[in-house]
Amino acid sequence: MLVAGFREVVWLSPEGEVEALSAAEARARLEREAPLVCHRRAVARRLDTAGFAALDLLELFAFVRPARFCVPTPRGLAAALGLAPPATMAEAAVALATAARALLQELPADASLDARALAEAADRGGWLWAPAVLAALPPAEPGAVRRAAGLRVWQHLAEWQERAPPPPAGNAPVSGEEARRRLAALLGEGAEARPQQADYADGVAAAFAPRQRPDAPQAVLAEAGTGVGKTLGYVAPASLWAEKNQGTVWISTYTRNLQTQIAQELDRLYPDPVQKRRRVVIRKGRENFLCLLNYEDAARAAATRATPSVAPLVLIARWIAATASGDLVGGDFPGWLGELIGRGRVGSLADRRGECIHSACPHFRRCFVEKNVRAARHARLVVANHALVMAQAALGGLDDATVPTRYVFDEGHHLLEAADAAFSVRLSGQEGRELRRWLLGAEAGRSRARGLQRRIGDLVGADEDAGPALIEALVAARILPADGWHQRIADGRGATSFENFLALVRRQVLARAAGGDQGYGIEAEARPPIDGLVDAAARLAAGLDRLAEALRRLATLLRRPLEDAENPPEPAMRLRLDAAVRGLERRADQQLAGWSAVLRDLGREPRSETVEWLALDRIDGADSDVAVNRSWVDPGIPFAEVVAKPAHGIVVTSATLTDGEPEPELAWAAAEAATGLRHLSERPRAARILSPFDYRAQTRVFIITDIPRDDPGQSAAGFAALMTAARGGALGLFTAIARLKAVHQRIAAPLEAQGLLLLAQHVDAMATATLVDIFRAEENSCLLGTDAVRDGIDVPGRSLRLIVFDRVPWPRPDILHRARRPVFGGAPYDDRVTRLRLRQAYGRLVRRADDKGIFAILDRALPTRLLSAFPEGVPVRRLPLVAAVAETARFLGNPA
Ligand code: SF4
């Protein structure tokens, strides 16, 4: 058994002997022995080794309890299995052995032949757990295992049934009073009276009134402070409207994890799980779901070779048989399983590139994506995310023609960010490579990518015009970047006009980039272009136009049978043809046309409503992509046109829509600008419900006055001292990855010496969501992160009692920000963005009435004018570190 920290490594022998090793000693021993560990990749990162053979408890957990979750730590495993929580590293090592025994003891209850068939397959692939699993499983009759589905797990999945499309929703309104009554019913008799929540439900009900004019939705902008209970507050009128009108309300939030949280709250509305499954659907993009055809391809390839690649597929087969939704991201697929198997490998099992062959697929009627799309059509509440809603609107419907009419946008402060991503254009090496793969499929190597020929070859086979059109499209696609493009353009010797253009873009960025690489890459203005760039852009645009034209011609030919009144195609064939036509037209009319327009505009005067820039993206200092970007200066314009105006009712809500601006008119005008609602013809109704929490008593804000900004050693000392004073439960937030890493390196071992686990985004071999899960579960842990952690974390209770910012979180001074500043109010815009960031982070401290928290910033340059980010009356003090440490310990009840 092996448990690794940053300063201590514990090895427990099978005889029970505990040894404390150095990392070097542990690495040497791993060459001879395969220990029991929890999260092999994370342990390898801590030991600074590439990898090693081990029995990973999490793999056993995934086999024994598929589609179930545990926090991926020894304590998390112990909690999931009902075992005593380990308090020390030695106890953690013992806990691993106990957990292994407990899991293996569950196996005799699994009488299915499939479990044995899968374990035998994994055994042939050399899975280290296989002998123990086979010994624990019930014995099988000789020859019986051959009848099991094993890796052909799809055989057991239920098929979806087609239903008539629902009629259009009615227009019956929901009054504020009705919303209050529905909320009271949801909360149940005897529930604590929460007048703020009832006021909120009443306020947002206005968005469910019938529309009075086309293009003028009933819009409500509603700010609800933390603790108001806004989810049930908007669910009350939304569910009532959906029932009265036999319609569907789309609730959209920012992240996939928040989707899961909202869906969990809907248990109150539908306590019966069967009814809830019918009425509530978590809707995600198709790239989130496992594609059974991709899985089958991988399983067939692995089954022919008894290699280690079988074991991951065995674990995925167990999950497929148990999953409720087939959702690989944020559903019941544990995030840590993706980390163990490899995110690339898991990603290749989803339909990431739009290679679906729809009704030609043998799994079509069992397909998880199809089930999700169909279920959403008949649901009362669809819980979606902003990215999906925007993409659906931008592309005119993704997987079906559904256009929602009633929306609730939760986490509304992220709305424009999602709109920006959906309505921007990005022409890059990676995007070009992806499109080439979609068109030409795998050209070399072991990729299983299906190109156009493989997907629709049979559809064009019978048509004497379509065959040549397909070939023409495939020839035109050779302009796109091929494998190895990266190296070629770095050497300045591109193989196609696309690659030649990218080489010039790269040169311009390197020549002009101002400001250092903050860990994300470097960028330069698109104008004036370097010599040769405009000509290269024009050549590339002409090539892309030829490709787009070829795709359009092919789409037109495939459309012919769809419009043939005399010999209409079978329904399944119609579906396929329709999907093929839509896929081709989307690439031609949106992706390629967008690229071509950007390229041609490089030689023209800039437009006022958009901004273009060139970028060289980098990961850990290495180039990862070269791109030309175009964004809307105000993404609220396309959002309002394409999403908001066609809707009948829209609620945009968040805990932080306003930034503490005391003048209500100014505050709401800024909120309307920041959510895109200022572009509606009628102003939205505004509602603000204050938090019921006593922030003055529950929180303190400290600005540390004696830490120099550019001294990582002193910054690290500040983080460590404050985190120790809080005894963990601390979140450290950084505005640059390099500073995060520098601080992490200095404080990991000292914190561990205090018994405090330190987790870090960009350092640990775990996804952000996994790190947050561990942080939430381990009450005395600390987490370091950047923007994604700041925006995506929701940790109620004692697990979050201290937030430390390294610097004032000003907006990144990039080209896009410079273009946006004048449109959103000039210099005050910087302050507003920063105040909102501080406010959002601060709001994470208190999620319940009995939470207490400290908000500290190690940057004495925080201007006083930004302090209105914090609620009125909250004590804000500027003080030296030593005083802040003492105050933190005292306030949180941790005397020295
Ligand atoms: S229908 Fe498409 S997404 Fe579904 S399993 Fe088949 S190929 Fe994959």
Side-chain angles (χ1 to χ4, degrees), residues 286 291-293 351 356-358 361 363-364 367 369 450:
R286 59 186 309 121
C291 163
L292 289 168
L293 191 58
D351 181 29
C356 175
I357 53 174
H358 300 273
C361 171
H363 307 300
F364 185 57
C367 172
V369 180
R450 291 184 291 274

Side-chain angles (χ1 to χ4, degrees), residues 158-326:
E159 297 193 347
W160 49 262
Q161 303 294 327
E162 196 63 283
R163 290 167 65 186
N171 279 299
V174 175
S175 70
E177 198 43 51
E178 285 175 303
R180 285 175 184 270
R181 282 202 298 274
R182 164 56 65 99
L183 176 66
L186 287 178
L187 294 172
E189 273 179 36
E192 172 198 352
R194 292 169 89 178
Q196 296 95 339
Q197 194 177 24
D199 290 347
Y200 176 81
D202 186 331
V204 298
F208 296 93
R211 192 165 64 164
Q212 297 298 319
R213 290 199 290 123
D215 284 352
Q218 299 286 1
V220 174
L221 195 52
E223 183 174 69
T226 310
V228 166
K230 68 176 160 28
T231 306
L232 284 184
Y234 59 66
V235 162
S239 59
L240 203 52
W241 181 89
E243 285 164 23
K244 275 186 173 187
N245 295 289
Q246 301 293 294
T248 307
V249 177
W250 279 52
I251 298 170
S252 176
T253 185
Y254 181 51
T255 65
R256 297 176 181 96
N257 285 343
L258 289 169
Q259 282 182 267
T260 310
Q261 277 179 33
I262 290 175
Q264 280 164 356
E265 290 214 42
L266 294 174
D267 284 352
R268 281 191 186 264
L269 181 63
Y270 298 114
D272 172 10
V274 176
Q275 195 192 21
K276 185 178 172 189
R277 266 201 299 282
R278 270 208 329 268
R279 296 299 186 208
V280 177
V281 172
I282 300 181
R283 182 81 166 80
K284 295 186 179 172
R286 59 186 309 121
E287 70 283 359
N288 292 281
F289 292 91
L290 179 120
C291 163
L292 289 168
L293 191 58
N294 283 353
Y295 165 79
E296 183 185 353
D297 278 356
R300 282 192 198 286
T304 56
R305 313 182 294 265
T307 63
S309 62
V310 177
L313 289 166
V314 162
L315 299 182
I316 287 175
R318 293 282 289 171
W319 173 76
I320 292 173
T323 177
S325 62

Side-chain angles (χ1 to χ4, degrees), residues 12-148:
L12 176 71
S13 73
E15 294 74 38
E17 187 192 347
V18 177
E19 289 176 73
L21 305 179
S22 67
E25 288 167 335
R27 283 196 295 271
R29 192 141 163 195
L30 285 170
E31 289 175 13
R32 306 188 303 272
E33 294 176 48
L36 211 63
V37 297
C38 179
H39 207 305
R40 184 161 38 91
R41 286 190 184 229
V43 173
R45 181 73 65 90
R46 294 211 157 174
L47 294 178
D48 198 16
T49 176
F52 54 87
L55 288 141
D56 196 325
L57 248 303
L58 294 174
E59 289 180 4
L60 182 63
F61 189 93
F63 187 93
V64 178
R65 295 187 172 192
R68 287 167 68 181
F69 181 75
C70 74
V71 175
T73 60
R75 280 171 71 92
L77 272 167
L81 296 169
L83 306 171
T88 63
M89 288 183 62
E91 285 180 20
V94 175
L96 294 185
T98 316
R101 278 194 298 278
L103 283 167
L104 289 170
Q105 278 165 11
E106 291 183 18
L107 281 173
D110 192 339
S112 73
L113 283 177
D114 285 313
R116 177 160 283 276
L118 287 169
E120 287 183 2
D123 194 27
R124 289 191 292 278
W127 188 41
L128 294 181
W129 280 112
V133 167
L134 284 167
L137 283 168
E141 298 287 322
V145 173
R146 255 180 286 139
R147 294 196 300 275

